[in-house]
Amino acid sequence: MKSVRNFAGKLLGLDNTEIPKEQLNAISEILSKFHFNTNSKDLRKLLKTLRKKHLVDNICVASKNGSVIASTSNGNSLKEAVIGTAMFNYIKSEIPKSETILIKSNEWYMLMPYKNKIFIVRAPASLSTVEFNALAKEVEGKLTKGKSF
């Protein structure tokens, strides 16, 4: 029966990978020992804190037309915003119900729309949808409060 299930899974392209619970537990334990102050009035500091909190390499927030709103990258944020939004818009035009796009190369390249913005995140491991939404919600909360950055 198991071989039939495996064959059917391969034929149908089903993903039967499991979440590495030991790794998640280890990361949760490590992160529980740290406090991340996300009350910064400076958007760049907030993004750097979120980068550490979520264990990602880069965070870029762009408008849907490709202009940079905020980024942790040094010097290439405009290029990253333009490429990320163009890629997201193209995939969205081809697959209209796309929500979050994950691309694996040497690292993960993740794209997600949130409140008329595109969040572009690069990381060694992919973020869960819940974690990606939490990151976007924290940034959006600071942007919509009308604070000057």
Side-chain angles (χ1 to χ4, degrees):
M1 185 66 171
K2 188 175 182 178
S3 62
V4 173
R5 189 179 304 137
N6 288 339
F7 175 73
K10 288 181 182 179
L11 180 67
L12 297 172
L14 300 176
D15 184 11
N16 63 352
T17 56
E18 292 184 26
I19 297 172
K21 293 178 183 174
E22 296 83 27
Q23 290 177 349
L24 287 175
N25 290 339
I27 290 172
S28 294
E29 185 178 325
I30 290 169
L31 290 177
S32 69
K33 296 178 181 178
F34 294 99
H35 174 71
F36 298 99
N37 182 9
T38 58
N39 292 325
S40 176
K41 291 184 179 183
D42 182 271
L43 186 56
R44 192 174 248 321
K45 284 183 182 179
L46 172 66
L47 288 178
K48 287 182 179 184
T49 301
L50 291 175
R51 191 175 73 186
K52 291 175 187 173
K53 179 179 179 182
H54 294 281
L55 302 172
V56 298
D57 293 335
N58 191 40
I59 301 169
C60 181
V61 183
S63 63
K64 289 192 175 185
N65 68 4
S67 60
V68 179
I69 295 171
S71 178
T72 59
S73 63
N74 293 324
N76 62 350
S77 57
L78 180 60
K79 178 182 173 185
E80 186 145 9
V82 169
I83 290 171
T85 55
M87 194 178 328
F88 183 82
N89 290 329
Y90 172 73
I91 293 171
K92 189 78 170 167
S93 72
E94 295 296 320
I95 308 169
K97 293 185 179 182
S98 300
E99 292 178 15
T100 302
I101 299 165
L102 297 117
I103 301 165
K104 174 73 169 130
S105 184
N106 291 334
E107 61 185 353
W108 282 94
Y109 192 77
M110 298 163 277
L111 309 166
M112 183 186 76
Y114 191 85
K115 304 244 180 169
N116 293 320
K117 295 172 188 64
I118 304 289
F119 285 77
I120 305 159
V121 174
R122 285 187 289 119
S126 65
L127 297 177
S128 68
T129 305
V130 172
E131 190 173 13
F132 209 160
N133 277 315
L135 186 151
K137 193 173 184 176
E138 285 182 276
V139 173
E140 185 65 26
K142 295 295 180 182
L143 290 172
T144 57
K145 285 187 179 178
K147 294 183 178 179
S148 58
F149 294 106

